[in-house]
C-alpha cells in the first residue's frame, strides 16, 4: 500500500470509516509492533489533528511511553495514577470530559482539556494503553471508543 493517507472531512463516524481500512492496509503484513503503533499514531494525528495521541506499554509494573505524536510527554506512569494508570488498574476505557475534574490527572501539558484512554488487553492482562488528549473540553465520546477499539483490534500485541 502507498504510504500516504487520504484525509477526509465529515462527521466523526465518517472519518473513522475512512481511516480504519487505511490503517488496516498500513499494518497488514507488517509484524513489527513498534512500527505499527507509530503509524497508527501518525494516521490518527493526521486525520483528527488531536493534541496528543500515543501508547504507553506495561513494563516492570509501570506504564512506559511508547510511540506517540504530539508534544513530549511524561515517560513513566504508576498503576492507579492519572487517567492512564486508572484505565490500567481498572482494565476499562475512561472518557474524561474535563481533565481538571479528574482526581490525580497527570498534566503532561496544561493545554490538554479532555482525554480518552483505552486499555489494551493481551491474554486477559493489560498490555498497555492508548491515550488521546484534546485541547478542547468534552471532545471524546462512545463513537471514539468504538472507532479506536476497532483500530486497536488491527494490531497484534
Ligand atoms: N494525562 C495522562 C498522562 C499522559 S499524557 O496526557 C500524554 C494521565 O493522566 O494519565
Amino acid at each position: 500500500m502507498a504510504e500516504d493517507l487520504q484525509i477526509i472531512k465529515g462527521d466523526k463516524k465518517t472519518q473513522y470509516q475512512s481511516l480504519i481500512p487505511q490503517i488496516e492496509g498500513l499494518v497488514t503484513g507488517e509484524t513489527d509492533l513498534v512500527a505499527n503503533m507509530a503509524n497508527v499514531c501518525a494516521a490518527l494525528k493526521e486525520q483528527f489533528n488531536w493534541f496528543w495521541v500515543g501508547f504507553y506499554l506495561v513494563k516492570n509494573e509501570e506504564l512506559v511511553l511508547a510511540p506517540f505524536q504530539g508534544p513530549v510527554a511524561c515517560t513513566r506512569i504508576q498503576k492507579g495514577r492519572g487517567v492512564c494508570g486508572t484505565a490500567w488498574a481498572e482494565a476499562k476505557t475512561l472518557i474524561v470530559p474535563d481533565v481538571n475534574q479528574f482526581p490525580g490527572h497527570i498534566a503532561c501539558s496544561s493545554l490538554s482539556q479532555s482525554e480518552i484512554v483505552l486499555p489494551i488487553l493481551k491474554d486477559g492482562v493489560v498490555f498497555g494503553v492508548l491515550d488521546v488528549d484534546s485541547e478542547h473540553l468534552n471532545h471524546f465520546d462512545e463513537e471514539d471508543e468504538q472507532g479506536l477499539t476497532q483500530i486497536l483490534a488491527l494490531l497484534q500485541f
Side-chain angles (χ1 to χ4, degrees):
M1 154 165 191
E3 279 79 20
D4 58 344
L5 205 66
Q6 196 198 342
I7 303 301
I8 60 135
K9 296 193 192 315
D11 60 23
K12 210 183 262 187
K13 191 172 184 171
T14 309
Q15 292 185 65
Y16 279 111
Q17 277 173 351
S18 159
L19 189 60
I20 288 168
Q22 295 190 75
I23 289 181
E24 187 171 14
L26 277 170
V27 302
T28 298
E30 175 51 67
T31 55
D32 190 277
L33 180 58
V34 170
N36 286 338
M37 288 191 294
N39 257 344
V40 164
C41 293
L44 286 167
K45 176 83 172 158
E46 260 198 88
Q47 176 60 55
F48 292 105
N49 198 25
W50 289 322
F51 179 68
W52 196 92
V53 50
F55 292 90
Y56 283 89
L57 300 183
V58 176
K59 294 183 181 172
N60 295 325
E61 282 304 298
E62 287 181 311
L63 284 172
V64 182
L65 187 61
F68 71 95
Q69 294 264 319
V72 293
C74 44
T75 313
R76 291 172 188 270
I77 298 175
Q78 310 301 313
K79 196 171 192 176
R81 297 284 311 280
V83 186
C84 292
T86 305
W88 173 21
E90 297 181 0
K92 71 170 195 199
T93 295
L94 294 179
I95 296 172
V96 181
D98 180 354
V99 295
N100 301 300
Q101 305 298 319
F102 189 93
H105 168 253
I106 300 165
C108 291
S109 165
S110 58
L111 294 175
S112 176
Q113 297 295 316
S114 61
E115 184 162 356
I116 181 170
V117 180
L118 295 93
I120 298 160
L121 285 139
K122 182 178 180 180
D123 303 326
V125 175
V126 177
F127 180 81
V129 300
L130 175 63
D131 178 18
V132 188
D133 288 47
S134 170
E135 68 270 62
H136 307 291
L137 286 168
N138 202 15
H139 199 70
F140 303 106
D141 57 24
E142 283 67 28
E143 222 152 48
D144 295 293
E145 180 177 3
Q146 282 171 24
L148 293 171
T149 299
Q150 287 181 57
I151 289 167
L152 288 175
L154 298 172
L155 298 179
Q156 305 284 323
F157 290 100

